[in-house]
Amino acid sequence: NNFSLGVAEAAGDVITWGFDSAATWDLTTLDIAYGRSFNGPTNIEIQLSVNNLPSVTIFSDGTITAPGVEQNAGIDLSAFTNVTEAEFTLIGWNAALSQGRFSIADAGSAFLPGTGAGLVVSGVQVTPIPVPAGAFLLGGALVAAGAMRGRRKKG
C-alpha cells in the first residue's frame, strides 16, 4: 500500500515487459486492459525506455475503479522510432491494503476486443533501403573523371 509513485517504484511494485530485436521498429500504439481488486492500487503510470535511453512517462491513470477491467487503446507511441530495444514499466500505487491486487487482463477476462490479449504493442518494421554495392565505386569514378576533365580544360 505505497501511497506515492516514488515509494512504489522504490519498493518494486512494478510490472515490466519489453523486447530486443535485430530488426528496427517504429512504434505506433500501446493497447492495455487492466483491473484491480477493491484494495488494489488506484493509480498507475507506464514508462517507456527505448534503446537504453532514460524512461519517459507515456500513460497515467489516477482513477482506476474496482472491480472491473479498464481498456485503454491507442496510447500514442509514434514518437519512438528506430527502436531495437524497448522496456515498459508499469508502476501501481495508492492501494488500500498491501494485499491489494492489480493485473493486466487475460483471455479469461474482459480483454481487448478482437485481440484475445490484455496487452498489445504495435509498430511497423523499418525496412532498410539497400545501397547497390557498386554505388560508392561509381561515385568515386565520377569524381575522378570530373577532376581529369577539369585538368584538360586548363591545358
Side-chain angles (χ1 to χ4, degrees):
N1 59 341
N2 296 309
F3 296 107
S4 73
L5 171 66
V7 172
E9 190 171 18
D13 287 344
V14 302
I15 299 171
T16 60
W17 68 93
F19 66 88
D20 290 317
S21 175
T24 302
W25 296 87
D26 288 347
L27 302 183
T28 54
T29 58
L30 168 67
D31 301 335
I32 186 167
Y34 51 82
R36 71 176 185 98
S37 67
F38 282 106
N39 296 319
T42 59
N43 300 70
I44 65 163
E45 179 173 290
I46 301 175
Q47 300 173 355
L48 173 58
S49 170
V50 298
N51 301 336
N52 291 314
L53 295 172
S55 294
V56 296
T57 300
I58 58 168
F59 177 79
S60 61
D61 184 350
T63 58
I64 303 171
T65 57
V69 173
E70 295 189 22
Q71 299 174 352
N72 290 283
I75 298 168
D76 185 17
L77 301 179
S78 62
F80 302 96
T81 58
N82 296 310
V83 176
T84 56
E85 177 185 345
E87 182 176 65
F88 295 84
T89 303
L90 185 150
I91 307 158
W93 72 96
N94 206 22
L97 297 172
S98 59
Q99 302 94 320
R101 292 184 319 273
F102 177 89
S103 62
I104 296 174
D106 60 20
S109 62
F111 52 88
L112 297 165
T115 66
L119 176 67
V120 177
V121 177
S122 299
V124 177
Q125 187 173 354
V126 177
T127 305
I129 300 171
V131 177
F136 294 112
L137 295 174
L138 178 61
L142 291 174
V143 169
M148 290 176 63
R149 185 173 189 200
R151 284 190 199 150
R152 282 192 210 151
K153 286 184 180 180
K154 290 180 183 178

